[in-house]
Amino acid sequence: MKKEFQQIKFEFHKGIKEELFLNAEIFLTYGEDLTEELIYKADKLKWIMVMSAGLDRMPFEACKKRGILVTNVRGIHKIPMAEFTIGMMLQHVKQMRSLWANEQTKAWERKLPMGELYGKTLLILGIGAIGGEVARLAKAFNMKTIGVNRSGRDSDWADEILTMQNYQDALPQADFIVSVLPSTNETKHLLDGSDFDLMKDTAVFINIGRGDLVRDEVLLEALQEKKIAHAYLDVFYVEPLDESHPFWLMENVTVTPHISSLTKNYLPRSFEIFKHNLHTYIKKGSDYLNVIDMDRGY
């Protein structure tokens, strides 16, 4: 960064050094360390680059009042998160959990109910950059793909598009329900008991979006009553997931510690977006990538 932008003075710190922050014009962050108080104090601040797609803890109201530009790295997660999702789906139909358990006990068991992704129906809640990549990969397995977004706008790899108002129409036919939805007022507690009542008892729920999409007690009831076959959960209402939480020990739940987006390519991809936007900033241009709508929160 220093070599490419020699006219810019960079300061690198772990955590906010308030004295330096208050003199900054541009601030890079993962988006979890800013407060309204800091935003109102930083009268030189013009642009915040969030090196994350999640913006749950950003003080948007203060940023909006101050007229601060906020951008993020939306889109860089699509490759690792889509691969993670397809991996979970393959793990399910190919009975990997049972195969691993049998290997440990040296059990030569060939009567496992092996399945296929071929011909299965995939419902993607939030078919943006990440959901679109999940759909693209799913097409390699000849799956039917149904996407859900706010606008009803077409997506390249979706056979059908529904909106947040009529997504329930697809629940009875979905073999896999994948949520990539962010945490907003519209999505919080979106799924309730009636949604799980509509799902097949063989359906699989995969959440790689945000944990507050469904209340724990709602999901627990659905799993305990076998309304669905399995839940693969990478995000939770409270993180880290408490050691006493029943999800850990449930046979029909797979817990992963919010790692679906992790990859060694995370920061290099993030900085490519930042470099593009910094060139735009220096030129006083307008072609910024990933400008955040602070009213929507994404």
Side-chain angles (χ1 to χ4, degrees):
M1 294 303 297
K2 285 181 172 180
K3 187 175 180 180
E4 185 166 341
F5 298 94
Q6 295 184 22
Q7 71 274 50
I8 302 291
K9 180 185 178 185
F10 289 92
E11 293 274 359
F12 300 93
H13 296 280
K14 185 175 182 178
I16 291 181
K17 302 290 188 278
E18 188 167 327
E19 182 180 344
L20 293 169
F21 174 74
L22 297 182
N23 286 306
E25 192 172 325
I26 302 167
F27 183 60
L28 276 74
T29 173
Y30 282 111
E32 299 178 349
D33 48 6
L34 288 172
T35 63
E36 285 196 355
E37 182 184 6
L38 281 169
I39 294 297
Y40 286 125
K41 279 184 179 181
D43 53 14
K44 295 179 182 177
L45 189 60
K46 295 180 181 177
W47 170 29
I48 299 170
M49 176 72 190
V50 183
M51 304 296 264
S52 166
L55 299 163
D56 309 13
R57 303 183 190 178
M58 279 291 293
F60 283 129
E61 193 62 34
C63 292
K64 184 179 177 182
K65 286 180 180 177
R66 284 283 326 282
I68 295 170
L69 171 70
V70 179
T71 59
N72 76 345
V73 294
R74 183 177 61 244
I76 71 161
H77 304 89
K78 71 178 185 179
I79 293 172
M81 293 182 76
E83 289 183 0
F84 180 92
T85 302
I86 295 295
M88 292 296 105
M89 291 162 58
L90 283 169
Q91 175 178 307
H92 186 78
V93 296
K94 299 305 179 185
Q95 299 290 326
M96 295 310 295
R97 177 178 280 199
S98 296
L99 287 171
W100 289 326
N102 289 347
E103 183 184 17
Q104 296 303 309
T105 59
K106 302 177 184 177
W108 187 267
E109 173 57 72
R110 300 187 69 242
K111 294 182 179 180
L112 291 172
M114 305 295 278
E116 301 175 349
L117 294 183
Y118 185 96
K120 295 290 196 299
T121 296
L122 169 63
L123 175 62
I124 302 169
L125 304 176
I127 190 160
I130 299 165
E133 182 68 2
V134 174
R136 186 184 74 83
L137 295 182
K139 277 301 175 188
F141 295 90
N142 287 292
M143 299 183 77
K144 178 183 178 181
T145 53
I146 304 172
V148 175
N149 58 28
R150 295 178 80 252
S151 64
R153 184 177 65 251
D154 286 344
S155 180
D156 289 343
W157 301 98
D159 297 312
E160 185 182 344
I161 289 290
L162 300 175
T163 68
M164 303 294 278
Q165 282 66 52
N166 66 349
Y167 72 90
Q168 290 179 320
D169 293 348
L171 291 176
Q173 59 181 300
D175 297 295
F176 294 90
I177 299 97
V178 175
S179 176
V180 201
L181 290 168
S183 178
T184 68
N185 290 335
E186 188 177 10
T187 63
K188 190 172 184 178
H189 305 156
L190 175 70
L191 297 186
D192 59 24
S194 64
D195 293 294
F196 290 96
D197 288 338
L198 291 170
M199 296 178 193
K200 298 178 180 180
D201 60 7
T202 55
V204 173
F205 174 62
I206 303 173
N207 193 358
I208 57 170
R210 284 294 182 264
D212 60 6
L213 176 77
V214 53
R215 294 181 189 274
D216 277 4
E217 55 267 30
V218 171
L219 187 51
L220 271 169
E221 180 182 340
L223 289 160
Q224 288 167 344
E225 296 183 5
K226 304 290 195 296
K227 292 180 180 179
I228 60 173
H230 204 96
Y232 292 86
L233 306 175
D234 190 51
V235 290
F236 302 90
Y237 213 100
V238 176
E239 296 183 8
L241 186 65
D242 192 275
E243 290 182 6
S244 65
H245 201 290
F247 283 157
W248 285 110
L249 299 177
M250 295 177 73
E251 284 293 318
N252 55 350
V253 177
T254 298
V255 171
T256 55
H258 204 147
I259 58 168
S260 64
S261 66
L262 298 189
T263 167
K264 65 181 182 181
N265 296 316
Y266 187 102
L267 282 177
R269 289 177 182 148
S270 298
F271 274 99
E272 285 305 308
I273 294 173
F274 175 64
K275 285 193 285 187
H276 170 94
N277 284 349
L278 187 52
H279 281 297
T280 299
Y281 184 87
I282 291 168
K283 292 183 296 185
K284 296 184 172 19
S286 59
D287 64 327
Y288 289 100
L289 298 174
N290 296 351
V291 176
I292 300 304
D293 181 329
M294 284 181 266
D295 291 322
R296 291 183 180 178
Y298 59 91

